[in-house]
Amino acid sequence: RRVFMLKVRALASPVLALLRRLSPPPPPPPPVQSTLWDGLAPALLAVLVCWLLPALLYVRFAREGTATSTGAGSAARAGAGRHRGVLYGSLSSFLSVTAMAVMFPFMQVRRDALGCDALCQGGQTSLRSALTLVGAAVIGRASDRVGRVPMLWVGTAASLASIVISLSSDSLTGMWLAVVPAALLNQNFSVCKALFSDYIDEAGGTDADKAGAVGKLGMAVGFSFMVGPILASALISDYRRALLLSAAITAASSVFLLLLPTPSRLSRQQRGGGGGGGSSSAGLTGFLSLPVLKLRGAQLLMLVRLKMALAFHMFAPVWQVSIRARFDFGPRDHAQFMGLVGLTYALSQGFIAKPLVRSFGDKVSRLLLLCILVLGGARPVALYTQSVGVVYACYVPMVIALGVMNTAITTAASRLAQKEQLGGFYGVMESVENVAGMVGPALGGLLARVDGFPATLAAVVCFYAAAFVLVALFFSTHVSGAAAAEAAAAEAA
């Protein structure tokens, strides 16, 4: 029997060896579990960059006495921040933007139904940006010469005209024509900023009051982008009904325009020809003339705004691709993420910007440096982290910094420009941002195609670094210093 077993083993061994070769390889060993530190390191880095470092710098600056002074005029300044024109203008803007936002859920379906492909959509985006580029400057300047409230009526009428074109024309040509009136003539956001600055100046308010007024406007617009799609999904189910609802809300927004008071000081300047430039200034030359653009401080603000906007728009296409590749973000995830972004931006405009501007006082440059530090430092972490929690931890302070910085720049611009030039200056600032919106996405996508995400990210960080250097070297001298000198000269006169 033993001999028989040995013969069986001898005959079976080649067969077993062949089966071993043909059998699949054993599974790989399980991956080494990451330690707690490996999971916490990205989150801790995000907290350090986005929260701890700016907080420490803020405490240091606060100890140097950057808080604004309080005194006998505090009660009057508090009243300036609650001007009824700011309330009515914010409500009108909320309804106007909500009217536009109710059409968002149905726009892509409408484009598909009319055969508007990617080239068509890109062409419409370029047309809208080009028209806004021109309209922002022209309407802003017209608000200086004709009046803020009349230009708000022009913007509302332009939105209604676009809706009427869309309702009356069921073709691709009608869709193109509907872009023109609203994109060219509805610049109500920048006109409202100039109007609110007029209100606060007339009431004797401070820069913090201006920041609070602009913050309320930004908060109203931020909430409207959230309310509009929700309202559309709850009440309507097709594009035509969305247009009718948009027209009704736009008409309702005009009710608050009827309640807007006209600043008396600006009215006198406009009746006197926009500051007393003689008969030639009443013509086209006077309309196009904007002396504030010759100031180094105004040029600095436009350059900083351009660099910040380019960094924002270059990062956007890379971010959309990256977040989908890392976390497989679907429509629901994007909706939640954008909802948080919109809510954070609205709250930063309404409740955070004014206290920060007030606490930094005349040292606004330090506040801007902190905002740039958060924006430039958090984006690399948000782009490369593998944790959704870290993404949210980065984006919340980034959105807050963006909202606070926009408010601070708007407030600084109101100190440089005279009232008869403020609307035009705001319009030019909006035009500069539209230039970045036209160039930035294409430039960011081109860099990503050539050398991947690192090239785009490097360019974005370089733009933030350049803005940081400009603010650190020149803001205090050419913006804060020039505004203080102008205010002192006005008081002496």
Side-chain angles (χ1 to χ4, degrees):
R1 179 179 297 179
R2 182 178 298 175
V3 174
F4 177 75
M5 293 299 297
L6 290 175
K7 290 181 178 180
V8 170
R9 288 181 180 179
L11 293 174
S13 58
V15 178
L16 293 175
L18 180 62
L19 291 175
R20 289 192 189 99
R21 292 179 181 177
L22 296 177
S23 62
V32 179
Q33 297 293 330
S34 60
T35 63
L36 180 62
W37 169 250
D38 294 334
L40 289 178
L44 292 176
L45 180 60
V47 171
L48 175 65
V49 173
C50 305
W51 294 99
L52 183 59
L53 186 57
L56 292 176
L57 291 175
Y58 170 73
V59 171
R60 176 187 173 187
F61 294 157
R63 288 179 178 177
E64 294 180 5
T66 58
T68 57
S69 60
T70 59
S74 60
R77 291 193 296 267
R82 295 191 296 267
H83 196 287
R84 63 186 178 93
V86 174
L87 174 62
Y88 295 149
S90 298
L91 290 174
S92 178
S93 297
F94 172 78
L95 292 176
S96 178
V97 179
T98 300
M100 177 182 63
V102 296
M103 295 188 291
F104 287 168
F106 306 97
M107 288 302 297
Q108 188 58 49
V109 177
R110 178 66 171 176
R111 295 189 189 103
D112 294 341
L114 295 177
C116 186
D117 56 9
L119 180 61
C120 170
Q121 295 182 36
Q124 288 187 359
T125 302
S126 299
L127 174 64
R128 184 178 291 106
S129 298
L131 291 173
T132 304
L133 177 69
V134 176
V138 173
I139 296 299
R141 188 60 177 141
S143 73
D144 295 330
R145 309 287 292 186
V146 179
R148 316 283 191 218
V149 178
M151 289 300 103
L152 293 177
W153 281 104
V154 169
T156 303
S159 295
L160 287 173
S162 292
I163 295 172
V164 170
I165 293 173
S166 298
L167 284 170
S168 60
S169 177
D170 193 17
S171 65
L172 193 58
T173 303
M175 177 175 280
W176 280 85
L177 292 176
V179 173
V180 177
L184 183 63
L185 300 177
N186 190 345
Q187 310 298 330
N188 286 10
F189 183 72
S190 59
V191 174
C192 274
K193 289 193 293 186
L195 179 63
F196 288 3
S197 179
D198 297 337
Y199 287 151
I200 300 304
D201 282 338
E202 188 178 44
T206 63
D207 287 346
D209 294 321
K210 292 181 181 179
V214 175
K216 290 183 178 68
L217 179 64
M219 182 173 65
V221 172
F223 279 131
S224 64
F225 277 110
M226 299 174 60
V227 172
I230 296 175
L231 193 63
S233 61
L235 298 180
I236 52 181
S237 58
D238 60 76
Y239 179 71
R240 185 172 183 82
R241 292 182 180 179
L243 287 173
L244 294 174
L245 179 60
S246 178
I249 298 175
T250 302
S253 70
S254 63
V255 174
F256 292 101
L257 297 183
L258 294 171
L259 303 175
L260 285 176
T262 301
S264 59
R265 181 174 11 175
L266 187 64
S267 298
R268 289 194 298 268
Q269 290 172 342
Q270 288 163 350
R271 287 194 299 266
S279 59
S280 61
S281 66
L284 182 61
T285 304
F287 179 82
L288 297 177
S289 176
L290 204 60
V292 67
L293 298 181
K294 299 178 181 179
L295 298 178
R296 293 297 178 91
Q299 296 168 3
L300 175 64
L301 289 181
M302 289 189 292
L303 190 57
V304 170
R305 176 63 68 89
L306 177 63
K307 292 183 180 298
M308 299 293 295
L310 280 172
F312 176 86
H313 289 289
M314 289 176 62
F315 187 79
V318 172
W319 171 252
Q320 294 296 332
V321 175
S322 172
I323 198 171
R324 180 169 180 81
R326 284 179 293 161
F327 308 115
D328 194 23
F329 258 39
R332 183 178 179 182
D333 300 309
H334 276 291
Q336 293 176 350
F337 181 73
M338 294 309 298
L340 176 64
V341 168
L343 178 62
T344 304
Y345 187 83
L347 294 178
S348 72
Q349 293 273 283
F351 299 103
I352 300 177
K354 180 178 178 179
L356 285 178
V357 172
R358 173 180 291 149
S359 64
F360 277 85
D362 294 333
K363 309 293 184 180
V364 182
S365 61
R366 295 176 173 178
L367 176 60
L368 296 179
L369 293 176
L370 288 178
C371 292
I372 297 173
L373 177 65
V374 172
L375 289 167
R379 289 199 187 276
V381 179
L383 187 63
Y384 285 109
T385 182
Q386 298 299 318
S387 170
V388 177
V390 175
V391 169
Y392 280 93
C394 290
Y395 252 79
V396 168
M398 279 166 53
V399 173
I400 292 174
L402 182 64
V404 171
M405 186 167 187
N406 287 339
T407 303
I409 289 178
T410 300
T411 305
S414 69
R415 298 183 64 189
L416 285 176
Q418 298 178 359
K419 298 304 134 186
E420 63 272 15
Q421 302 177 43
L422 186 57
F425 188 33
Y426 281 158
V428 171
M429 297 273 283
E430 294 290 334
S431 298
V432 167
E433 197 160 349
N434 274 282
V435 170
M438 296 171 63
V439 177
L443 184 58
L446 179 62
L447 288 175
R449 177 175 294 183
V450 171
D451 197 25
F453 290 173
T456 303
L457 183 62
V460 168
V461 173
C462 286
F463 277 120
Y464 281 126
F468 188 97
V469 171
L470 287 173
V471 172
L473 294 180
F474 305 113
F475 190 91
S476 296
T477 301
H478 295 296
V479 179
S480 300
E486 184 177 349
E491 290 181 0

